[in-house]
Amino acid sequence: MENENTGELRLVLHPDPILYRECEEVTEFGDELKGLARRMFDLMYESNGLGLAGPQAGVSKKIAVINASEQRGEAELVIVNPVLELGSEIDVMEEGCLSFPGIKGKVKRASALKLKARNLDGEPVEMDADGILARALQHETDHLNGIVFINRMGPAARFLVKGRLRELEAEYEQDER
Ligand code: CO
């Protein structure tokens, strides 16, 4: 987290303020960005996640890594400066997030979308997605805009996770001291 170019990345947990602000657009592409993406994948696999966004690794930049296939190396996707065009059909599914250990809750999301983003070389990419990938793309793009999945939960789901949120907040305060 201290040095995003060489150091090992560390998972950032709720309620760290970096999770709640919009990230900067990526303007420099190339080897450094590729190194960052590689280390983000390492941290994601180590933490058994399907996706990881920059701020969750302490890097407030619009980059996220996704692997919804659960097979390492296969179907790895890096999105930079993503913009989503959401379809009108809605799905409800239970989600979790590496920055909210022990919390799961139902979230409504568009069931299909079109992604417009850059790749690691700065080239524009476009992709249609549905299913688990569409969900992951929405979850990670939200992170890059300072929105986390508990912000997307309805009041009932939110009520159920209140206690665990308080615990995470107490642990964070302890670590800050
Ligand atoms: Co997340």
Side-chain angles (χ1 to χ4, degrees):
M1 176 163 167
E2 270 67 43
N3 185 342
E4 68 188 58
N5 294 324
T6 55
E8 224 170 87
L9 300 171
R10 188 172 59 87
L11 198 59
V12 169
L13 304 183
H14 170 81
D16 194 303
I18 197 172
L19 295 172
Y20 292 92
R21 54 176 185 252
E22 187 176 0
C23 299
E24 281 175 27
E25 297 258 323
V26 173
T27 53
E28 284 182 42
F29 297 86
D31 287 347
E32 257 180 41
L33 196 66
K34 286 176 188 170
L36 173 63
R38 195 63 256 155
R39 295 202 313 288
M40 286 175 66
F41 273 119
D42 291 343
L43 179 59
M44 183 189 87
Y45 290 132
E46 203 176 282
S47 317
N48 296 311
L50 302 178
L52 184 80
Q56 295 184 278
V59 180
S60 193
K61 287 184 183 168
K62 290 196 172 177
I63 178 171
V65 299
I66 294 171
N67 184 345
S69 78
E70 295 182 17
Q71 288 268 67
R72 260 188 201 218
E74 249 169 75
E76 285 187 347
L77 180 65
V78 182
I79 53 170
V80 180
N81 303 340
V83 175
L84 305 181
E85 288 170 15
L86 303 180
S88 53
E89 223 171 284
I90 301 292
D91 263 349
V92 182
M93 252 181 79
E94 192 166 77
E95 284 184 27
C97 177
L98 293 178
S99 295
F100 294 79
I103 292 183
K104 281 199 182 334
K106 286 187 176 166
V107 181
K108 282 186 192 171
R109 303 265 189 201
S111 49
L113 57 80
K114 181 186 279 294
L115 163 74
K116 292 182 174 177
R118 302 263 160 187
N119 65 18
L120 287 169
D121 293 311
E123 298 158 347
V125 288
E126 272 191 38
M127 194 176 120
D128 293 311
D130 58 12
I132 187 87
L133 182 57
R135 184 160 287 267
L137 285 166
Q138 289 169 85
H139 182 114
E140 301 312 329
T141 301
D142 268 355
H143 271 302
L144 303 181
N145 293 315
I147 299 164
V148 293
F149 79 133
I150 56 166
N151 300 142
R152 299 278 191 201
M153 286 182 191
R158 192 108 186 223
F159 180 78
L160 291 174
V161 303
K162 230 166 112 184
R164 179 61 186 146
L165 283 174
R166 295 287 163 276
E167 281 176 16
L168 289 172
E169 285 153 18
E171 283 166 28
Y172 182 82
E173 283 207 3
Q174 204 96 52
D175 293 347
E176 286 295 281
R177 269 189 217 133

PDB file of all heavy atoms in Angstrom, residues 83-100:
ATOM      1  N   VAL A  83     -16.782   2.498 -18.147  1.00  0.00           N
ATOM      2  CA  VAL A  83     -18.113   3.123 -18.153  1.00  0.00           C
ATOM      3  C   VAL A  83     -19.084   2.033 -18.583  1.00  0.00           C
ATOM      4  O   VAL A  83     -18.808   1.293 -19.530  1.00  0.00           O
ATOM      5  CB  VAL A  83     -18.164   4.302 -19.146  1.00  0.00           C
ATOM      6  CG1 VAL A  83     -19.575   4.864 -19.241  1.00  0.00           C
ATOM      7  CG2 VAL A  83     -17.179   5.399 -18.735  1.00  0.00           C
ATOM      8  N   LEU A  84     -20.217   1.922 -17.896  1.00  0.00           N
ATOM      9  CA  LEU A  84     -21.174   0.857 -18.181  1.00  0.00           C
ATOM     10  C   LEU A  84     -22.466   1.429 -18.740  1.00  0.00           C
ATOM     11  O   LEU A  84     -22.946   2.460 -18.272  1.00  0.00           O
ATOM     12  CB  LEU A  84     -21.490   0.067 -16.900  1.00  0.00           C
ATOM     13  CG  LEU A  84     -20.305  -0.520 -16.137  1.00  0.00           C
ATOM     14  CD1 LEU A  84     -20.802  -1.280 -14.911  1.00  0.00           C
ATOM     15  CD2 LEU A  84     -19.462  -1.423 -17.018  1.00  0.00           C
ATOM     16  N   GLU A  85     -23.016   0.749 -19.732  1.00  0.00           N
ATOM     17  CA  GLU A  85     -24.380   1.036 -20.197  1.00  0.00           C
ATOM     18  C   GLU A  85     -25.234  -0.140 -19.759  1.00  0.00           C
ATOM     19  O   GLU A  85     -25.093  -1.249 -20.274  1.00  0.00           O
ATOM     20  CB  GLU A  85     -24.400   1.175 -21.726  1.00  0.00           C
ATOM     21  CG  GLU A  85     -23.744   2.457 -22.198  1.00  0.00           C
ATOM     22  CD  GLU A  85     -23.532   2.499 -23.706  1.00  0.00           C
ATOM     23  OE1 GLU A  85     -24.124   1.676 -24.438  1.00  0.00           O
ATOM     24  OE2 GLU A  85     -22.741   3.356 -24.145  1.00  0.00           O
ATOM     25  N   LEU A  86     -26.113   0.120 -18.785  1.00  0.00           N
ATOM     26  CA  LEU A  86     -26.860  -0.966 -18.166  1.00  0.00           C
ATOM     27  C   LEU A  86     -28.119  -1.299 -18.946  1.00  0.00           C
ATOM     28  O   LEU A  86     -28.824  -0.401 -19.426  1.00  0.00           O
ATOM     29  CB  LEU A  86     -27.248  -0.584 -16.735  1.00  0.00           C
ATOM     30  CG  LEU A  86     -26.093  -0.219 -15.803  1.00  0.00           C
ATOM     31  CD1 LEU A  86     -26.632   0.142 -14.419  1.00  0.00           C
ATOM     32  CD2 LEU A  86     -25.067  -1.344 -15.700  1.00  0.00           C
ATOM     33  N   GLY A  87     -28.417  -2.595 -19.070  1.00  0.00           N
ATOM     34  CA  GLY A  87     -29.680  -3.038 -19.631  1.00  0.00           C
ATOM     35  C   GLY A  87     -30.804  -2.795 -18.635  1.00  0.00           C
ATOM     36  O   GLY A  87     -30.559  -2.451 -17.481  1.00  0.00           O
ATOM     37  N   SER A  88     -32.046  -2.975 -19.095  1.00  0.00           N
ATOM     38  CA  SER A  88     -33.185  -2.622 -18.227  1.00  0.00           C
ATOM     39  C   SER A  88     -33.634  -3.787 -17.349  1.00  0.00           C
ATOM     40  O   SER A  88     -34.337  -3.581 -16.356  1.00  0.00           O
ATOM     41  CB  SER A  88     -34.348  -2.134 -19.080  1.00  0.00           C
ATOM     42  OG  SER A  88     -34.635  -3.085 -20.072  1.00  0.00           O
ATOM     43  N   GLU A  89     -33.226  -5.013 -17.665  1.00  0.00           N
ATOM     44  CA  GLU A  89     -33.639  -6.158 -16.861  1.00  0.00           C
ATOM     45  C   GLU A  89     -32.822  -6.236 -15.571  1.00  0.00           C
ATOM     46  O   GLU A  89     -31.616  -6.013 -15.593  1.00  0.00           O
ATOM     47  CB  GLU A  89     -33.419  -7.441 -17.667  1.00  0.00           C
ATOM     48  CG  GLU A  89     -34.565  -8.424 -17.552  1.00  0.00           C
ATOM     49  CD  GLU A  89     -34.383  -9.567 -18.529  1.00  0.00           C
ATOM     50  OE1 GLU A  89     -34.621  -9.367 -19.736  1.00  0.00           O
ATOM     51  OE2 GLU A  89     -33.967 -10.640 -18.058  1.00  0.00           O
ATOM     52  N   ILE A  90     -33.503  -6.575 -14.469  1.00  0.00           N
ATOM     53  CA  ILE A  90     -32.855  -6.575 -13.154  1.00  0.00           C
ATOM     54  C   ILE A  90     -32.799  -7.986 -12.574  1.00  0.00           C
ATOM     55  O   ILE A  90     -33.734  -8.756 -12.710  1.00  0.00           O
ATOM     56  CB  ILE A  90     -33.658  -5.663 -12.172  1.00  0.00           C
ATOM     57  CG1 ILE A  90     -33.746  -4.227 -12.683  1.00  0.00           C
ATOM     58  CG2 ILE A  90     -33.079  -5.713 -10.772  1.00  0.00           C
ATOM     59  CD1 ILE A  90     -32.449  -3.473 -12.711  1.00  0.00           C
ATOM     60  N   ASP A  91     -31.684  -8.300 -11.915  1.00  0.00           N
ATOM     61  CA  ASP A  91     -31.488  -9.558 -11.177  1.00  0.00           C
ATOM     62  C   ASP A  91     -31.235  -9.237  -9.716  1.00  0.00           C
ATOM     63  O   ASP A  91     -30.615  -8.214  -9.423  1.00  0.00           O
ATOM     64  CB  ASP A  91     -30.204 -10.239 -11.674  1.00  0.00           C
ATOM     65  CG  ASP A  91     -30.464 -11.294 -12.711  1.00  0.00           C
ATOM     66  OD1 ASP A  91     -31.630 -11.662 -12.899  1.00  0.00           O
ATOM     67  OD2 ASP A  91     -29.482 -11.744 -13.316  1.00  0.00           O
ATOM     68  N   VAL A  92     -31.637 -10.126  -8.841  1.00  0.00           N
ATOM     69  CA  VAL A  92     -31.265  -9.983  -7.430  1.00  0.00           C
ATOM     70  C   VAL A  92     -30.391 -11.178  -7.063  1.00  0.00           C
ATOM     71  O   VAL A  92     -30.756 -12.320  -7.323  1.00  0.00           O
ATOM     72  CB  VAL A  92     -32.508  -9.963  -6.512  1.00  0.00           C
ATOM     73  CG1 VAL A  92     -32.096  -9.753  -5.061  1.00  0.00           C
ATOM     74  CG2 VAL A  92     -33.471  -8.880  -6.944  1.00  0.00           C
ATOM     75  N   MET A  93     -29.221 -10.895  -6.493  1.00  0.00           N
ATOM     76  CA  MET A  93     -28.313 -11.972  -6.088  1.00  0.00           C
ATOM     77  C   MET A  93     -27.572 -11.573  -4.832  1.00  0.00           C
ATOM     78  O   MET A  93     -27.364 -10.394  -4.577  1.00  0.00           O
ATOM     79  CB  MET A  93     -27.279 -12.221  -7.192  1.00  0.00           C
ATOM     80  CG  MET A  93     -27.479 -13.515  -7.965  1.00  0.00           C
ATOM     81  SD  MET A  93     -26.172 -13.684  -9.211  1.00  0.00           S
ATOM     82  CE  MET A  93     -24.814 -14.274  -8.190  1.00  0.00           C
ATOM     83  N   GLU A  94     -27.148 -12.586  -4.085  1.00  0.00           N
ATOM     84  CA  GLU A  94     -26.352 -12.314  -2.896  1.00  0.00           C
ATOM     85  C   GLU A  94     -24.919 -11.984  -3.321  1.00  0.00           C
ATOM     86  O   GLU A  94     -24.341 -12.661  -4.153  1.00  0.00           O
ATOM     87  CB  GLU A  94     -26.367 -13.537  -1.985  1.00  0.00           C
ATOM     88  CG  GLU A  94     -25.813 -13.241  -0.621  1.00  0.00           C
ATOM     89  CD  GLU A  94     -26.131 -14.337   0.366  1.00  0.00           C
ATOM     90  OE1 GLU A  94     -25.473 -15.387   0.308  1.00  0.00           O
ATOM     91  OE2 GLU A  94     -27.037 -14.145   1.189  1.00  0.00           O
ATOM     92  N   GLU A  95     -24.371 -10.937  -2.728  1.00  0.00           N
ATOM     93  CA  GLU A  95     -22.993 -10.528  -3.013  1.00  0.00           C
ATOM     94  C   GLU A  95     -22.182 -10.447  -1.731  1.00  0.00           C
ATOM     95  O   GLU A  95     -22.718 -10.254  -0.650  1.00  0.00           O
ATOM     96  CB  GLU A  95     -22.972  -9.118  -3.653  1.00  0.00           C
ATOM     97  CG  GLU A  95     -23.373  -9.094  -5.088  1.00  0.00           C
ATOM     98  CD  GLU A  95     -23.236  -7.706  -5.711  1.00  0.00           C
ATOM     99  OE1 GLU A  95     -22.408  -6.881  -5.260  1.00  0.00           O
ATOM    100  OE2 GLU A  95     -23.983  -7.460  -6.677  1.00  0.00           O
ATOM    101  N   GLY A  96     -20.884 -10.570  -1.915  1.00  0.00           N
ATOM    102  CA  GLY A  96     -19.952 -10.280  -0.841  1.00  0.00           C
ATOM    103  C   GLY A  96     -18.886  -9.355  -1.403  1.00  0.00           C
ATOM    104  O   GLY A  96     -18.910  -9.035  -2.590  1.00  0.00           O
ATOM    105  N   CYS A  97     -17.955  -8.936  -0.548  1.00  0.00           N
ATOM    106  CA  CYS A  97     -16.897  -8.024  -0.977  1.00  0.00           C
ATOM    107  C   CYS A  97     -15.693  -8.227  -0.073  1.00  0.00           C
ATOM    108  O   CYS A  97     -15.845  -8.320   1.142  1.00  0.00           O
ATOM    109  CB  CYS A  97     -17.400  -6.586  -0.883  1.00  0.00           C
ATOM    110  SG  CYS A  97     -16.156  -5.354  -1.301  1.00  0.00           S
ATOM    111  N   LEU A  98     -14.503  -8.284  -0.671  1.00  0.00           N
ATOM    112  CA  LEU A  98     -13.293  -8.525   0.125  1.00  0.00           C
ATOM    113  C   LEU A  98     -13.069  -7.446   1.182  1.00  0.00           C
ATOM    114  O   LEU A  98     -12.435  -7.711   2.196  1.00  0.00           O
ATOM    115  CB  LEU A  98     -12.063  -8.604  -0.793  1.00  0.00           C
ATOM    116  CG  LEU A  98     -12.007  -9.808  -1.739  1.00  0.00           C
ATOM    117  CD1 LEU A  98     -10.770  -9.723  -2.621  1.00  0.00           C
ATOM    118  CD2 LEU A  98     -12.011 -11.114  -0.953  1.00  0.00           C
ATOM    119  N   SER A  99     -13.586  -6.243   0.958  1.00  0.00           N
ATOM    120  CA  SER A  99     -13.401  -5.164   1.931  1.00  0.00           C
ATOM    121  C   SER A  99     -14.435  -5.204   3.058  1.00  0.00           C
ATOM    122  O   SER A  99     -14.390  -4.364   3.958  1.00  0.00           O
ATOM    123  CB  SER A  99     -13.454  -3.805   1.218  1.00  0.00           C
ATOM    124  OG  SER A  99     -12.362  -3.682   0.326  1.00  0.00           O
ATOM    125  N   PHE A 100     -15.353  -6.179   2.982  1.00  0.00           N
ATOM    126  CA  PHE A 100     -16.391  -6.344   4.003  1.00  0.00           C
ATOM    127  C   PHE A 100     -16.448  -7.801   4.463  1.00  0.00           C
ATOM    128  O   PHE A 100     -17.440  -8.491   4.244  1.00  0.00           O
ATOM    129  CB  PHE A 100     -17.758  -5.926   3.446  1.00  0.00           C
ATOM    130  CG  PHE A 100     -17.873  -4.462   3.136  1.00  0.00           C
ATOM    131  CD1 PHE A 100     -17.326  -3.941   1.971  1.00  0.00           C
ATOM    132  CD2 PHE A 100     -18.510  -3.598   4.012  1.00  0.00           C
ATOM    133  CE1 PHE A 100     -17.430  -2.580   1.684  1.00  0.00           C
ATOM    134  CE2 PHE A 100     -18.618  -2.238   3.734  1.00  0.00           C
ATOM    135  CZ  PHE A 100     -18.079  -1.732   2.569  1.00  0.00           C
TER     136      PHE A 100
END
